[in-house]
Amino acid sequence: MENRKLPKLDLNITNRCNFRCTHCAFDSGILDLPELTLSELEKILRETKEIGGERFDITGGEPLVREDVEEIITIGKNLGYKIELVTNGSLLTEEKLRKFKQLGLDGIAISLDGSTPEVYNRIRRRDEKTFYKVIENIRASKKTGFYTKINTTVFACNLEDIPNITELALSLGVDELGLYYFTPIGRGNRSKELAVEPVKWLESIRANLRQYQNRGMRISLEFPLIER
């Protein structure tokens, strides 16, 4: 293990959530799970650091429903971690963004699964107001100086919208667009029909995303395992 670095740690700090997204792997907001205390989280981060940990994501649920996210960031930065906050974006404010920046948070990843309120809300089960609030918070994250990423889960109902989402991400000036394949587990197990046939997903990526090479925005992809 000497000189080996660990992959990124996903630190799930809560299963509470203000959304009820179709695909949630953890059934967040419905399934009640105990939360780790600050001292327990610090213990995990210290032990992970001792075996080569360098970065972690603060995840949930929706992590911003916890009131001690600032303390978690402080613990992580004091231990020398690079930290990214993964959020649905609806609870961000300019005040929170400024405070997170002062504490040394490195990046923010915000979920966005559609280029319009109609497509977005098929998945996130919210309203038009929420969609535009999330868009504004993506802009605000970038303006505050964070490495800003959009996380998009790909379904049968938004597959054709991926080029539009990519264009929207470019117009917002984000640093990265992450595209994730919907795997029906957790709450998503009740919506299996939304899963894209894997070969169709791969063909769509090849057909629609090649043109975005060298456009100044990183595109990261998650692929399903395809067996022949």
Side-chain angles (χ1 to χ4, degrees):
M1 286 289 294
E2 188 176 354
N3 295 325
R4 290 186 64 183
K5 305 301 182 185
L6 291 180
K8 179 184 64 179
L9 173 70
D10 283 346
L11 194 67
N12 190 319
I13 65 171
T14 184
N15 205 47
R16 290 181 286 152
C17 191
N18 61 326
F19 281 17
R20 297 292 183 271
C21 302
T22 303
H23 60 292
C24 183
F26 300 106
D27 213 355
S28 297
I30 296 176
L31 182 62
D32 186 23
L33 297 176
E35 295 179 359
L36 295 166
T37 65
L38 278 177
S39 60
E40 289 170 331
L41 290 168
E42 183 172 5
K43 184 174 185 290
I44 289 169
L45 291 173
R46 286 188 181 279
E47 292 177 348
T48 303
K49 193 70 177 178
E50 289 171 0
I51 56 174
E54 292 189 322
R55 57 180 298 193
F56 69 91
D57 286 357
I58 301 174
T59 70
E62 170 49 49
L64 291 179
V65 301
R66 275 187 68 147
E67 297 180 353
D68 56 2
V69 173
E70 292 179 9
E71 288 90 334
I72 295 169
I73 294 170
T74 299
I75 290 169
K77 296 310 291 186
N78 286 341
L79 291 170
Y81 278 98
K82 183 175 182 180
I83 309 171
E84 181 175 270
L85 174 69
V86 181
T87 173
N88 62 39
S90 66
L91 300 178
L92 283 170
T93 63
E94 290 187 4
E95 182 181 357
K96 286 180 181 177
L97 286 168
R98 287 194 297 269
K99 184 62 176 179
F100 292 159
K101 190 66 178 176
Q102 290 170 4
L103 294 173
L105 181 69
D106 298 282
I108 298 179
I110 298 176
S111 300
L112 186 72
D113 306 306
S115 65
T116 66
E118 292 74 24
V119 178
Y120 174 83
N121 290 320
R122 287 177 205 161
I123 298 156
R124 296 286 162 176
R125 298 177 174 178
R126 301 295 290 182
D127 53 24
E128 184 172 323
K129 182 179 179 181
T130 302
F131 172 80
Y132 286 112
K133 183 175 184 180
V134 170
I135 293 292
E136 287 306 309
N137 283 335
I138 292 171
R139 288 195 179 98
S141 173
K142 183 65 180 176
K143 184 179 179 180
T144 308
F146 288 109
Y147 184 93
T148 303
K149 179 184 178 186
I150 288 175
N151 284 343
T152 299
T153 305
V154 181
F155 305 82
C157 64
N158 71 347
L159 182 63
E160 293 185 0
D161 196 38
I162 295 303
N164 297 327
I165 295 171
T166 306
E167 289 289 348
L168 176 58
L170 282 166
S171 72
L172 292 170
V174 302
D175 300 283
E176 183 177 352
L177 171 65
L179 299 173
Y180 299 91
Y181 183 80
F182 165 56
T183 302
I185 58 175
R187 187 151 62 235
N189 195 45
R190 301 193 283 274
S191 302
K192 294 180 180 180
E193 73 281 359
L194 293 178
V196 182
E197 200 282 320
V199 174
K200 184 177 181 181
W201 155 245
L202 185 59
E203 290 173 346
S204 177
I205 293 300
R206 288 172 170 164
N208 295 314
L209 293 186
R210 194 181 303 274
Q211 62 179 304
Y212 294 104
Q213 293 184 94
N214 305 316
R215 291 281 298 275
M217 178 182 71
R218 181 183 180 193
I219 299 179
S220 53
L221 304 171
E222 179 182 77
F223 290 101
L225 179 65
I226 301 175
E227 296 182 358
R228 291 291 191 184

